[in-house]
Amino acid sequence: MTSPTRRTGTPRTPTGTPTSLTQGSPTRGGIGESTLRPDGTLKVTGEFAYSSDMWHEDMLWGHTLRSTVAHAEIRSVDISEALAVPGVYAILTYDDLPTEVKHYGLEIQDTPVLAHGKVRHHGEPVAIVAADHPETARRAAARIRIDYAELPVITDEVSATAPGAPLVHEGRDDRPQGPPTGSGPGGTPSSGHVPHPNVVHRQPIVRGDADAAAARADVIVTGDYVFGMQDQAFLGPESGLAVPAEDGGVDLYVATQWLHSDLRQIAPVLGLPDSKVRMTLSGVGGAFGGREDLSMQIHACLLALRTGKPVKMVYNRFESFFGHVHRHPAKLHYEHGATRDGKLTHMRCRIVLDGGAYASASPAVVGNASSLSVGPYVVENVDIEAIALYTNNPPCGAMRGFGAVQACFAYEAQMDKLAAELGLDPVEFRQLNAMEQGTLLPTGQRVDSPAPVAELLRRVKARPLPPEQQWLTAGEAPDVRALPGGLSNTTHGEGVVRGVGYAVGIKNVGFSEGFDDYSTARVRLEVIAGEPVAVVHTAMAEVGQGGVTVHAQIARSELGVAQVTIQPADTRVGSAGSTSASRQTYVTGGAIKNTCEHVREKVLELGRRKFGTYHPAWATAELLLESGKVVTDGGEVLADLADVLEDEVVDLELEWRHRATEAFDLRTGQGNGHVQYSFAAHRAVVEVDTELGLVKVIELAVAQDVGKALNPLSVVGQIQGGSLQGLGVAVMEEIIVDPVTAKVRNPSFTDYLIPTLLDTPTIPVDVLELADEHAPYGLRGIGEAPTLSSTPAILAAIRNATGLELNRTPVRPEHLTGM
């Protein structure tokens, strides 16, 4: 104990000076340090317990029967033969749902719990089975007889909006029922302002006079771009365990990325109050937006409540491709103009996103695509339209960087076209038009924090290039792993050419367009075994982003304690929002910081009451908690934290919100829709085998402004991971949907290719820390921005190597060879 100087006389309780200083990080393991994540070793050694590893005595296994066609009337469903299979406990169809609430949805409740009357996409759930063994459940499901009468399929804008086109949702009269998931119309009727019932949402943005500006332009370039449907490809399939409770409720242990959004959708379908649907996060094997919509949650609960037994559901890889939404494929038309000296005059664009059979996050994706369609550039005259369609293709929704990813691919290709037309260096042309702090966006919102677009580009361009013919080493045979085709040994350098490309992107951080974006944190501080210990409890879903590590660092810094316990995420504490939109470190991190500050103040009040009479600094100085002690801002130690607390427990649960945003005007797109922006720039270096059409990305250099790196090691990991996901969509990843039948052709990792370690290039990362004064610690959300610019940088490099136009992702060998 550090004993305060004792004085005689009657103790008094000083009012003290509220602590307003931001805590530094003298406590080991605080913010700014590259502390190791607690789940890292367990995951790479295979010891981590994922949701699919859960087990319960006497549990049953659930299985989902899915439609084999994309659009059809359901004439009949016969479960009699399936029910006769020994070991089957229950089979449920739409008619067995317990309440009048039979649909759910993130924003628009248009998704049936089980199909009724018709199916709208390949793989839609029709019936669910509970049995004593997973194979029994699958065999029983195979014996359910469904009589389909197939209907014409809607697969694109032409078939969706043609005169007399079948309606994917007849009698549509929807309006968003729940909170938007990132940006969205915020309660505005969706069906009331769209040009056709097969259009989910439309957002125009008009500013300046694009026609007049086009007349002044010396150069105008146009382009049509196609962006393929990407899968999140998380490694842990959808899974969970529902356990019926004695009070008539249910406990659900599940891999998700937004517990309270799930709860909001599950409880009404079950006919239970929220208090009787208790959710706990279990081990999550990645998400990337694919777990923002429900998958097996309601089905497992229904089967558990029907059978009175715990029910576990685990999708296999094939089923997982049908069990979650994907990235919206898109068609984009762009027109840009510029003066001869390289200044952008105007931009027109039209973005058509395919939302598939159900709305999911499509309104939010439209909002992002339209509001960020101009990219990180100053363009005063714009005419923008973005829409999302209802079709009979697989439902699409949230995926890392949604809306902004598709737009970045197109506008960055346009920048290269314009630079070439003007005879300018593509990087210098971008820098000439780069936005900066104070720039007015096409939505009318002013960028009020650093926007170092030109600097990011300068940094990636200034990096030394990898050596030419880097597959050669002195005196040795070519290393084929460094060549296109890799270990297939398809070339030793013959026909291989190099290309270099650049791109930069802008992504919003956090939920937008008026959404009440907040998070909740409960923090408890007490003395255990003579040592102060903090317990942090939130509903944040740890999906691999490292939140549990950073949140503990924040608590250590703010409370000056070494021991911090992160409690499992569940719904006993208030919502933390979704682990998406690059928001959790900002919002839930902000909530933890805020609650810790209040806890700290309570502790200091205790200290003032106990020891305030013994030292004037308790009343006059700014006080901090550092290394388990109360100290002044001058570093003088006043007391041990353990002596201040003794048997007292300080326990607070508080909500925290970032700055409010507002919805975009539905006619003009004007509005302060976003709270923060994140920027990243890439330089890609590729080698292309022009004879076989194979591509090897050999370096993907990136520079990104992160505001403040709370955990530098995790920051670099996030940036590298996002960059690699962009590489996947550039040259590998695409869900192929048959344009005639709307059936998915490649629902497996055999036919849907994702980058492996051998495909991963060197990814040097240059991190800037330019603080956003409006954000906790000045930080920026970082997870999505690198996914935007890596794809167009790679496409630009391939164009540079081959001279081909290449206006679609992913690039396939036939696009390069013309065969």
Side-chain angles (χ1 to χ4, degrees):
M1 172 179 175
T2 302
S3 300
T5 303
R6 295 192 177 277
R7 297 177 179 178
T8 57
T10 304
R12 63 182 178 85
T13 302
T15 55
T17 304
T19 298
S20 59
L21 290 180
T22 295
Q23 292 265 156
S25 187
T27 303
R28 187 175 181 182
I31 62 169
E33 292 188 27
S34 289
T35 57
L36 298 179
R37 46 191 305 162
D39 54 341
T41 301
L42 295 174
K43 286 179 174 174
V44 298
T45 57
E47 298 174 272
F48 186 79
Y50 290 99
S51 56
S52 55
D53 296 320
M54 289 186 294
W55 196 267
H56 196 291
E57 185 179 357
D58 199 29
M59 73 179 185
L60 302 177
W61 295 79
H63 183 74
T64 308
L65 178 67
R66 298 176 181 275
S67 66
T68 55
V69 295
H71 195 202
E73 176 187 348
I74 300 175
R75 289 174 170 160
S76 64
V77 179
D78 181 359
I79 64 172
S80 57
E81 186 180 349
L83 272 175
V85 175
V88 170
Y89 278 72
I91 297 176
L92 304 181
T93 66
Y94 179 90
D95 293 335
D96 299 305
L97 298 180
T99 73
E100 293 302 313
V101 179
K102 302 177 191 297
H103 293 73
Y104 66 91
L106 280 173
E107 298 184 31
I108 300 172
Q109 293 181 328
D110 62 353
T111 308
V113 175
L114 293 166
H116 175 59
K118 67 188 297 188
V119 293
R120 296 180 174 85
H121 70 91
H122 182 203
E124 180 163 355
V126 179
I128 48 178
V129 180
D132 59 4
H133 191 278
E135 289 305 318
T136 303
R138 291 190 179 92
R139 283 189 287 109
R143 298 187 183 188
I144 297 174
R145 306 301 175 199
I146 303 176
D147 183 13
Y148 292 113
E150 291 199 55
L151 300 169
V153 294
I154 303 296
T155 58
D156 55 20
E157 186 180 17
V158 172
S159 57
T161 59
L167 301 183
V168 178
H169 294 272
E170 303 90 342
R172 178 184 170 201
D173 184 24
D174 56 76
R175 67 176 56 230
Q177 298 295 309
T181 59
S183 59
T188 304
S190 290
S191 58
H193 73 282
V194 293
H196 190 284
N198 283 338
V199 175
V200 183
H201 186 56
R202 175 179 181 270
Q203 180 62 66
I205 297 177
V206 181
R207 191 169 186 83
D209 188 337
D211 291 338
R216 296 194 301 271
D218 296 314
V219 173
I220 292 177
V221 299
T222 61
D224 290 286
Y225 304 92
V226 176
F227 197 99
M229 183 187 296
Q230 188 183 17
D231 187 68
Q232 291 83 354
F234 42 70
L235 295 183
E238 294 84 347
S239 54
L241 177 67
V243 183
E246 291 183 354
D247 65 355
V250 63
D251 293 281
L252 179 62
Y253 304 86
V254 66
T256 181
Q257 61 187 100
W258 192 351
L259 283 165
H260 285 80
S261 175
D262 287 6
L263 175 61
R264 175 180 58 80
Q265 298 170 82
I266 295 169
V269 175
L270 302 180
L272 294 173
D274 289 359
S275 60
K276 288 195 174 183
V277 182
R278 296 166 288 267
M279 298 187 61
T280 302
L281 186 74
S282 58
V284 185
F288 311 115
R291 300 186 199 271
E292 202 156 67
D293 294 78
L294 297 180
S295 57
M296 44 59 63
Q297 288 92 327
I298 295 176
H299 296 165
C301 290
L302 286 169
L303 291 170
L305 292 172
R306 172 60 69 96
T307 62
K309 289 177 173 292
V311 173
K312 176 177 178 176
M313 296 188 79
V314 181
Y315 291 176
N316 60 27
R317 182 58 58 189
F318 174 87
E319 190 174 12
S320 180
F321 269 92
F322 296 100
H324 61 261
V325 298
H326 312 290
R327 187 188 296 287
H328 289 68
K331 294 182 178 178
L332 310 95
H333 175 79
Y334 267 75
E335 174 189 299
H336 281 87
T339 59
R340 184 59 62 188
D341 60 355
K343 295 296 289 185
L344 290 168
T345 56
H346 73 285
M347 187 277 279
R348 296 188 179 104
C349 76
R350 186 165 189 274
I351 301 172
V352 179
L353 301 146
D354 184 351
Y358 297 107
S360 182
S362 284
V365 178
V366 168
N368 273 7
S370 58
S371 62
L372 302 174
S373 61
V374 75
Y377 302 110
V378 179
V379 188
E380 296 178 353
N381 304 285
V382 301
D383 187 353
I384 299 163
E385 180 188 33
I387 65 171
L389 301 171
Y390 274 129
T391 68
N392 296 118
N393 292 324
C396 291
M399 185 175 174
R400 200 174 195 168
F402 65 48
V405 166
Q406 295 91 332
C408 186
F409 166 63
Y411 64 67
E412 284 303 273
Q414 288 285 105
M415 293 302 104
D416 284 337
K417 279 187 176 181
L418 270 173
E421 193 72 22
L422 293 166
L424 298 175
D425 177 88
V427 171
E428 293 176 2
F429 174 69
R430 286 174 168 85
Q431 291 174 314
L432 185 62
N433 292 283
M435 71 165 54
E436 56 189 11
Q437 186 168 355
T439 292
L440 200 63
L441 298 172
T443 57
Q445 184 169 9
R446 193 169 298 282
V447 178
D448 61 0
S449 61
V453 178
E455 173 63 13
L456 295 172
L457 287 162
R458 186 196 68 77
R459 290 189 176 220
V460 292
K461 186 178 181 182
R463 296 191 72 90
L465 283 165
E468 296 284 345
Q469 297 187 321
Q470 37 74 42
W471 58 85
L472 294 176
T473 54
E476 297 182 6
D479 182 354
V480 295
R481 294 173 300 177
L483 280 161
L487 293 173
S488 298
N489 199 23
T490 54
T491 180
H492 287 187
E494 308 88 350
V496 174
V497 294
R498 168 172 287 194
V500 180
Y502 297 88
V504 62
I506 175 174
K507 176 67 181 64
N508 62 311
V509 173
F511 293 165
S512 304
E513 294 190 65
F515 178 60
D516 182 19
D517 193 10
Y518 72 96
S519 186
T520 314
R522 181 178 181 183
V523 177
R524 176 185 174 96
L525 184 63
E526 61 187 319
V527 176
I528 298 176
E531 184 176 6
V533 175
V535 179
V536 177
H537 187 193
T538 76
M540 177 212 66
E542 171 61 63
V543 304
Q545 82 278 19
V548 294
T549 311
V550 171
H551 292 173
Q553 291 179 258
I554 292 172
R556 290 191 193 100
S557 290
E558 296 299 331
L559 298 177
V561 298
Q563 296 298 322
V564 177
T565 299
I566 303 294
Q567 283 200 331
D570 56 38
T571 52
R572 292 180 302 157
V573 66
S575 175
S578 175
T579 301
S580 62
S582 305
R583 63 178 289 283
Q584 281 294 15
T585 300
Y586 189 132
V587 186
T588 299
I592 293 168
K593 180 176 186 292
N594 175 63
T595 306
C596 284
E597 288 170 348
H598 283 79
V599 168
R600 188 171 71 220
E601 202 54 44
K602 293 284 185 185
V603 170
L604 294 178
E605 288 173 10
L606 283 172
R608 291 181 186 111
R609 286 200 296 269
K610 289 185 177 179
F611 307 121
T613 58
Y614 307 123
H615 197 303
W618 282 101
T620 59
E622 295 271 17
L623 302 181
L624 304 172
L625 304 184
E626 292 180 356
S627 302
K629 304 180 188 305
V630 179
V631 302
T632 68
D633 56 335
E636 183 181 3
V637 175
L638 299 184
D640 278 356
L641 188 52
D643 293 330
V644 174
L645 285 169
E646 293 184 315
D647 294 331
E648 297 272 0
V649 176
V650 181
D651 192 341
L652 296 176
E653 178 179 328
L654 299 173
E655 293 179 355
W656 184 83
R657 288 169 168 78
H658 59 61
R659 292 184 293 164
T661 59
E662 58 190 26
F664 296 128
D665 184 277
L666 289 174
R667 294 175 297 103
T668 66
Q670 299 302 291
N672 293 326
H674 300 308
V675 67
Q676 187 189 60
Y677 298 97
S678 180
F679 306 91
H682 278 87
R683 183 190 69 192
V685 181
V686 304
E687 309 280 12
V688 182
D689 184 336
T690 55
E691 297 173 356
L692 295 177
L694 302 176
V695 176
K696 176 73 175 180
V697 182
I698 62 173
E699 187 190 83
L700 198 50
V702 55
Q704 182 167 342
D705 175 25
V706 304
K708 168 68 177 177
L710 300 197
N711 185 317
L713 185 63
S714 289
V715 164
V716 171
Q718 280 273 16
I719 293 172
Q720 291 178 326
S723 300
L724 192 59
Q725 206 154 24
L727 182 153
V729 78
V731 295
M732 292 183 181
E733 298 185 43
E734 185 176 16
I735 293 178
I736 306 297
V737 181
D738 190 304
V740 176
T741 65
K743 289 186 178 181
V744 178
R745 289 177 171 173
N746 58 338
S748 75
F749 279 169
T750 300
D751 299 311
Y752 182 92
L753 302 182
I754 58 175
T756 68
L757 190 60
L758 288 175
D759 303 305
T760 303
T762 302
I763 307 178
V765 177
D766 194 348
V767 172
L768 278 74
E769 294 184 273
L770 303 179
D772 177 355
E773 65 178 20
H774 308 289
Y777 305 114
L779 66 84
R780 290 183 189 279
I782 59 169
E784 296 172 291
T787 310
L788 272 65
S789 47
S790 57
T791 300
I794 292 169
L795 265 291
I798 300 173
R799 292 189 195 103
N800 179 248
T802 64
L804 299 172
E805 188 166 2
L806 302 175
N807 286 344
R808 84 175 310 280
T809 63
V811 174
R812 300 177 188 147
E814 60 265 33
H815 302 146
L816 301 177
T817 62
M819 300 177 65

